[in-house]
Amino acid sequence: MMDTSFHEPDSKLAPGVGTTHGLPVAVLLEVTHRCPLQCPYCSNPLNLERPAAELATEDWVRVLHELADLGVLQVHFSGGEPMARRDIVELVAAATDAGLYSNLITSGVNLSRERLAALAEAGLSHVQISFQGSESETADRVGGYRNGHAKKLEAARLTREAGFPLTVNAVMHRQNLHQLPEMIDMAVELGAQRIEVANVQYYGWALRNRAALMPTMEQIETCNRIVAEAEERLRGILMIDYVVPDYYAVRPKTCMGGWGRQFFNISPAGKVLPCHAAETITGLDFDSVRDHSLAWIWDHSPALNRYRGTDWMAEPCKSCEHREEDFGGCRCQAFALAGDAGATDPACSFSPLHDEIFRVAETEAAADDMSFAYRNYLTPVPGE
Amino acid sequence: MTVASERKPLVVRPETVVALPRHVQLKFDKLREMWLLLAPERILTPDDIAVRVLQLCDGTRSVHQVCEALAEIYAAPIDRIEADVIVMVQDLATQGYLQSVETGA
Ligand code: SF4
Ligand code: SF4
C-alpha cells in the first residue's frame, strides 16, 4: 500500500524522470556550527562558520515561512548543536507556525527538562540524539567531551518523559563498531522508536580523520549481520535505518536523492547547499538567503543547477543505465577523491578509481591509527 | 534479549484502539494536491482508503468501530472489510505510524 524506503520520500513525490528538480521535500537547517562536542567524524566543513556570521532570528523566521511556501514539508534543526542557539525554541515555534514538521537533531548534552517542555510547547515533533558508543569510556573519547555519554542517556530519558518520540543516532566507525549490539539494546531500553545505524561518510572532519575511523571489511560484514538480525528480532519495537559505508560498496549511494532534486541544506550563514558537505567543493558559489528569495535560489542558483539531472555527466555515468537512479553518486566524494566534482563517484565499481579507494580503505583500516584530529575552532585546518 | 522482551510489538485485534502518535502527521498538501503522512525521515502518500482509515483511527474508536464506519461509507459488508483493515492497521502499527492508546501497550 505504501512505500517506505529510507530517506527517500514516496515515489509519488519525486520529480519525474528527465526533470531536474521538483518541489523540495525536506531541508536540513544548520542553525549554528557551535557545538560542545568535537566528534572527529563530524560532517561539518573544516572551516567552521563563526558565530558572528550566523543568521539572526528574524532571518530564520522569514526563511521558515519561505520554505513552507516553496513546498517543503519537513525541517531538521541541526548544526553543530542546535541547542547552542538561544532562540531555538522561537525557531521551532516559527516552523510550527509555518506548518512545517520539525525534527531536532542534537547531541543531547544540554537538553534540560525545562527546554524540552518549551520545545514541546513550541510544536516540535521529534527528537534525534546522537550517541558515540555504548559506554562512557569509548563514547566520551570519540566525542571529545567529558561525561557526555551520561548526559546523553539522561537527555534521552527526559526526551521520552516529555512525550517525544526518540531516534537514537548511532554513528559507527572502526573504533566503536564492536559496540553496535549494545547500542541497539540501549536504544530499546531508552524507549526509542527508531535507531539510525549510520556508518561514517567521509566528508569534512570525517575525511580528515579517515585513517582513524575507516572500518575493516570484516567489521562491515559483522555489522550487516547484526543489523539484519536486529531488524528481524525487533520488528514492531524498533525501526532500524541503516547507512552502509560506501567505500566498500559496489554502487554509490543516491546522495541526497540527486543534487538539488528534492532536498537541500541551509548553512549557519544562510547559504543554500545541495548537501551538507557541498562547500568542500571549491569553485562553486552558493547563493545566500541574505541576497535572494528561496524560491529564486531553488530554481536559479547556478550552484544548484550545476549538477542537476544528468546533462552534466561524463562517461561512464553518461551512458549508464543507472544514471536516473543514483545520479552518479556523491559530487563531494567525487571532488574529494577524483579531484573533479563532475566525475563518477569513486564508490561506484564503474569508476576507474574504485579499486584504489577500496585499497585505501583496507590499508587505512589495517594500519589501525587511533589518533583523532578533534573537530573544533582551534584544530589547525590544512592549507590555511 | 531481556531488554527487548520488555517492549512488545502491538498485535492488532478488533477491540484495539489506535491513534497516530505525535510524530506522525496526516495532512493534505495544497501545493501537491495530495494527502501525506509525515514521519521522521519519511513521507508517505497514503491512498484514499488508507486516508479514511487513518482519519478514523483517532484514539476513540476500536478497529472494529473503524470498520463499521468504513462499511457505512463504502456501503460494503463489514466482514469483507474487517480482515483487510486489520492487516492494514497492523502494518501501519508495525512501522510505527499508529500506536495503541492504552498505556504500556
Ligand atoms: S557530529 Fe559531533 S561535533 Fe559535529 S555537530 Fe554533531 S555532536 Fe557536534
Ligand atoms: S557509472 Fe555513474 S550512473 Fe552508473 S552506477 Fe556508477 S555512478 Fe551510477
Side-chain angles (χ1 to χ4, degrees), chain A residues 1 3-4 7 10 12-13 23-25 71 73-74 99 101 125 164-165 185 188 192 194 233 237 239 241, chain B residues 1 3-4 7 9 22-23 25 27 31-32 36 38-46 50 88 92 94-95 97:
Chain A
M1 176 186 65
D3 156 47
T4 61
H7 285 197
D10 191 289
K12 282 191 215 121
L13 299 177
L23 296 176
V25 167
L73 302 163
Q74 291 183 325
Y101 179 108
S125 293
F164 284 112
D185 284 351
V188 174
R194 186 168 153 264
R233 176 169 52 92
I237 294 172
M239 298 241 278
D241 283 328
Chain B
M1 298 263 149
V3 278
R7 287 175 62 191
R22 144 144 126 211
H23 61 292
Q25 294 166 13
K27 80 169 211 179
L31 278 178
R32 295 175 178 81
L36 301 172
L38 305 179
E41 304 282 354
R42 282 180 176 79
I43 300 168
L44 312 179
T45 58
M88 182 189 285
L92 287 163
T94 303
Q95 296 183 69
Y97 303 122

Side-chain angles (χ1 to χ4, degrees), chain A residues 201-220:
Chain A
Q201 305 285 320
Y202 295 96
Y203 321 108
W205 290 88
L207 185 60
R208 170 100 192 259
N209 284 294
R210 192 178 63 190
L213 298 167
M214 184 61 74
T216 64
M217 188 71 179
E218 206 187 334
Q219 278 183 308
I220 291 311

Side-chain angles (χ1 to χ4, degrees), chain A residues 250-252 313-318 320-329 331 344-345 348-351:
Chain A
V250 176
R251 292 268 311 280
M313 287 177 175
E315 295 297 352
C317 294
K318 194 183 173 74
C320 177
E321 57 175 323
H322 303 300
R323 66 183 182 277
E324 289 271 356
E325 292 155 27
D326 62 32
F327 297 97
R331 298 305 87 229
T344 296
D345 181 345
C348 176
S349 60
F350 302 130
S351 159

Side-chain angles (χ1 to χ4, degrees), chain A residues 44-56:
Chain A
N44 287 154
L46 296 177
N47 285 301
L48 295 167
E49 200 70 76
R50 300 275 155 186
E54 289 175 14
L55 292 182

Side-chain angles (χ1 to χ4, degrees), chain A residues 265-287:
Chain A
N265 279 37
I266 303 182
S267 80
K271 284 192 194 156
V272 175
L273 312 172
C275 78
H276 52 247
E279 279 184 292
T280 58
I281 303 175
T282 53
L284 282 179
D285 244 345
F286 296 100
D287 286 294

